[in-house]
Amino acid sequence: MAVKKPMMRKAPAKKPAVKKAATRGKDLKGLEKKIGKVPKFFKELTTNDPEMFDLVMKFENHIWDDGKLTRKTKKLIAIAIAAALRDQHAVRAQLAGAASLGVTKAEVEEALRVTFLLSGMPAYVYGKAQLDEVMKK
């Protein structure tokens, strides 16, 4: 006769610890240094939903930290994707942060040409118009 093993219970998932407000402020400043302008709604999470803010910050840091791609390259990808989606807010937010990473207008124009190749003329024109308005050089 086989002996039955007792069933193992999974421990309940732990909620992440919520950081203090001062720490969240430092996190925002660090993120702005890494990627440039941080959207208003994200800043509002620090008080409206601090637990969500902490989770998103962990995710943001993982994505934007230099790895095989530099932050600058990732910013160009983000600009191209935002242009392809024709998301004015996202394009402007990404462009606003691009200069602080040393992204040039010529580099953005080249990224937008790739967007044109894959997403068509409207996406290119849309991104180029935002670029010309935000990076007036």
Side-chain angles (χ1 to χ4, degrees):
M1 186 183 225
V3 177
K4 288 187 177 181
K5 292 182 183 177
M7 291 181 65
M8 299 294 286
R9 296 177 101 189
K10 283 187 176 180
K14 290 183 181 179
K15 283 188 171 184
V18 178
K19 295 179 182 180
K20 294 181 179 180
T23 304
R24 280 186 230 104
K26 288 179 186 175
D27 286 346
L28 275 175
K29 289 194 184 302
L31 185 61
E32 283 187 340
K33 187 175 181 181
K34 281 184 185 179
I35 66 168
K37 186 177 177 182
V38 174
K40 181 181 174 185
F41 82 90
F42 189 66
K43 290 178 182 178
E44 291 171 351
L45 277 180
T46 61
T47 54
N48 295 344
D49 193 348
E51 187 176 334
M52 178 62 92
F53 173 83
D54 292 343
L55 291 168
V56 173
M57 275 303 298
K58 187 174 182 179
F59 192 58
E60 286 272 346
N61 287 328
H62 176 71
I63 290 170
W64 287 105
D65 282 345
D66 283 338
K68 300 296 180 192
L69 298 175
T70 65
R71 289 182 200 131
K72 187 176 176 179
T73 301
K74 291 174 188 181
K75 181 60 75 173
L76 289 166
I77 293 168
I79 292 166
I81 291 170
L85 295 172
R86 295 180 195 95
D87 182 338
Q88 181 180 6
H89 178 75
V91 172
R92 288 175 169 270
Q94 295 302 326
L95 287 169
S100 66
L101 295 174
V103 176
T104 66
K105 188 174 180 179
E107 289 170 321
V108 175
E109 287 172 341
E110 190 167 334
L112 290 173
R113 284 194 291 275
V114 175
T115 306
F116 170 75
L117 178 65
L118 298 172
S119 299
M121 178 63 89
Y124 173 78
V125 170
Y126 184 85
K128 186 79 168 82
Q130 300 302 313
L131 172 65
D132 290 342
E133 195 169 317
V134 173
M135 292 181 138
K136 296 174 182 169
K137 283 188 179 179

